[in-house]
Amino acid sequence: MTKGLTIVITGNGKGKTTSALGMLMRTLGHDKKACVIQFMKSPDSGYGEITMMNRLGVENYQAGAGCTWTVSKEDTIETVHSAWELAQHKVLSDGYDMIILDEVNIALSLPEKFEDTVITSDEVIELIKQMRKQFPQRHLVLTGRYALPEIIEAADLVSEINEIKHPYKKGVTAQACIEF
Ligand code: ATP
Ligand code: MG
């Protein structure tokens, strides 16, 4: 038996987004169609994976204005809103085998920072329900730290990546091939 899975990749260790991109590669290798929506990245930020998705013709959108700690609250809320509108549309549109909502867990946890709800977990859970009903073979991947318990509950597969060691603690900054 196969079935579409809702997959959550969370935790404070490195490897959440790249795990989702690994599943994207597999999807493409089976000549299937995917769409990637990145909630927190801006399109011009030099990510190798964005360049490669464009070369491979993978539909991808970056709705983020940048890091939540350098961009204004209003800009972040606006970009998260536009990403969420797009995500809802894509998740319920014909033709996709996999949809990746990268860093959507961060968008869901924004109230902690902003005391403002941008996306609610109820909306995400409702979208998962609708997708399961309309597209039972479709995979949905939700990445980002701080996955909410109710999202974990709603998912079929949840992995938590825990940091054991990271070179940023020794002053090594983000570098090509590893972080972007
Ligand atoms: P990747 O995109 O490499 O799979 P990720 O999606 O698991 O990583 P995020 O939480 O999205 O990780 O963080 C983005 C990047 O920030 C990661 O590539 C990671 O190496 C780096 N990072 C993680 N924790 C810290 C930190 N405390 N300070 C600086 N950089 C960090
Ligand atoms: Mg990430």
Side-chain angles (χ1 to χ4, degrees):
M1 178 187 88
T2 64
K3 89 181 202 67
L5 298 177
T6 295
I7 300 173
V8 171
I9 314 283
T10 193
N12 68 349
K14 180 200 164 356
K16 300 174 289 293
T17 297
T18 45
S19 168
L21 294 172
M23 288 183 276
L24 169 69
M25 290 303 293
R26 289 177 169 167
T27 300
L28 299 180
H30 291 286
D31 297 322
K32 290 177 183 284
K33 193 172 165 193
C35 173
V36 179
I37 299 173
Q38 300 191 287
F39 278 74
M40 294 292 152
K41 284 172 183 138
S42 57
D44 51 357
S45 42
Y47 285 90
E49 62 266 37
I50 297 176
T51 305
M52 232 19 241
M53 285 192 286
N54 290 334
R55 274 190 211 160
L56 291 168
V58 178
E59 220 180 309
N60 70 96
Y61 303 90
Q62 290 74 38
C67 303
T68 52
W69 51 92
T70 57
V71 173
S72 75
K73 172 181 163 176
E74 289 71 26
D75 281 353
T76 301
I77 289 175
E78 195 184 313
T79 54
V80 167
H81 261 303
S82 66
W84 179 237
E85 292 288 310
L86 183 67
Q88 286 172 291
H89 173 67
K90 291 291 174 186
V91 169
L92 300 180
S93 292
D94 285 334
Y96 297 101
D97 299 287
M98 176 177 287
I99 310 268
I100 295 172
L101 304 183
D102 185 38
E103 315 299 353
V104 71
N105 292 328
I106 301 284
L108 274 160
S109 70
L110 283 176
E112 293 215 338
K113 185 176 162 74
F114 291 156
E115 293 155 22
D116 252 328
T117 300
V118 190
I119 313 174
T120 66
S121 44
D122 283 350
E123 286 175 286
V124 176
I125 291 164
E126 183 54 32
L127 186 64
I128 294 169
K129 275 191 195 149
Q130 288 299 325
M131 181 192 76
R132 283 175 174 152
K133 209 185 291 172
Q134 293 181 41
F135 303 99
Q137 291 297 321
R138 180 167 294 174
H139 303 301
L140 177 67
V141 186
L142 310 171
T143 82
R145 293 160 188 237
Y146 320 121
L148 295 171
E150 56 271 31
I151 300 294
I152 288 173
E153 174 68 30
D156 302 294
L157 189 166
V158 181
S159 289
E160 182 176 39
I161 300 182
N162 294 316
E163 180 184 312
I164 292 177
K165 210 184 218 189
H166 195 295
Y168 71 79
K169 286 193 176 134
K170 291 187 175 159
V172 179
T173 51
Q175 52 190 313
C177 311
I178 307 300
E179 267 93 17
F180 60 87

